[in-house]
């Protein structure tokens, strides 16, 4: 997994874990999950920025939907981090700050439609990452992580659908 392999500060915290997944596989899965955690955190923050700044006729449905999303994303981060810990690795925090300036900035996205289009892109991007991660977890016989990723994927695909429906003409 190209993005996940860039997470270099994933390190083991426990020795002697023998749950049927090799040390190498647990490390690779923890790296992938670390990247998913980072991307989820960025999407959470972007959802909050939209929630705080949206105006116009779609204010109420977008305000409500983004609050639901960032609440769900916050809970998901905890679940993913706990899985990393269960695999015997620390949850890296250094990479989480990279890209947050973009997540916290409106930039040129000042209309409700432009903000939602950006959120759609974020959810689609993380869905692709999670789909790849679910396949990797299954290939490494980590069915718990696979199931976690399948649940996360369902959330992001539904988020894309709801966001698209909200701004449809």
């Amino acid at each position: 997994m190209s993005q996940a392999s860039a997470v270099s500060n994933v390190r083991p915290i426990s020795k002697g874990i023998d749950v049927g997944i090799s040390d190498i596989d647990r490390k690779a899965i923890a790296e992938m999950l670390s990247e998913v955690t980072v991307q989820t955190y960025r999407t959470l923050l972007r959802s909050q920025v939209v929630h705080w700044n949206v105006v116009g006729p779609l204010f109420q449905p977008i305000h409500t939907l983004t609050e639901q999303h960032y609440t769900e994303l916050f809970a998901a981060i905890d679940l993913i981090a706990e899985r990393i810990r269960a695999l015997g690795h620390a949850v890296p925090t250094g990479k989480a700050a990279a890209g947050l300036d973009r997540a916290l900035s409106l930039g040129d996205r000042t209309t409700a439609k432009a903000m939602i289009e950006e959120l759609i892109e974020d959810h689609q991007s993380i869905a692709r990452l999670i789909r790849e991660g679910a396949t990797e977890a299954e290939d490494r016989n980590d069915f718990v992580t696979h199931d976690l990723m399948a649940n996360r994927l369902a959330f992001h695909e539904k988020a894309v659908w709801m966001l698209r429906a909200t701004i449809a003409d």
Side-chain angles (χ1 to χ4, degrees):
M1 165 157 274
S2 60
Q3 289 181 353
S5 63
V7 180
S8 61
N9 58 350
V10 172
R11 57 185 173 72
I13 51 140
S14 301
K15 296 190 186 276
I17 294 176
D18 184 10
V19 294
I21 305 170
S22 73
D23 291 346
I24 291 169
D25 287 344
R26 285 187 296 104
K27 182 177 191 272
I29 294 164
E31 288 173 347
M32 175 273 296
L33 289 171
S34 294
E35 183 62 28
V36 170
T37 303
V38 168
Q39 295 302 323
T40 301
Y41 193 66
R42 289 179 189 154
T43 304
L44 176 154
L45 291 175
R46 175 117 26 164
S47 297
Q48 283 188 311
V49 167
V50 171
H51 175 80
W52 294 327
N53 291 289
V54 68
V55 295
L58 295 175
F59 168 80
Q60 186 61 44
I62 292 173
H63 189 75
T64 300
L65 186 58
T66 54
E67 183 174 4
Q68 292 168 355
H69 286 179
Y70 72 69
T71 301
E72 166 70 24
L73 292 166
F74 186 79
I77 290 167
D78 192 54
L79 291 173
I80 298 165
E82 287 175 356
R83 183 64 189 152
I84 294 168
R85 296 291 292 177
L87 291 167
H89 291 270
V91 180
T93 56
K95 191 174 179 187
L100 292 185
D101 55 338
R102 183 174 172 263
L104 291 170
S105 170
L106 286 175
D108 294 336
R109 300 169 282 127
T110 56
T111 68
K113 186 173 182 177
M115 286 185 227
I116 294 305
E117 287 170 344
E118 186 107 24
L119 270 178
I120 290 168
E121 290 173 23
D122 290 344
H123 283 283
Q124 290 179 148
S125 176
I126 196 168
R128 290 188 301 271
L129 177 65
I130 288 170
R131 186 177 302 283
E132 191 177 321
T135 300
E136 180 179 1
E138 186 174 37
D139 290 347
R140 295 175 184 273
N141 294 319
D142 182 351
F143 305 111
V144 173
T145 299
H146 176 271
D147 288 352
L148 175 61
M149 292 296 93
N151 288 330
R152 298 308 321 135
L153 183 58
F155 166 78
H156 289 286
E157 287 182 352
K158 185 175 181 179
V160 168
W161 161 55
M162 291 185 151
L163 291 166
R164 282 188 187 285
T166 301
I167 60 169
D169 293 330

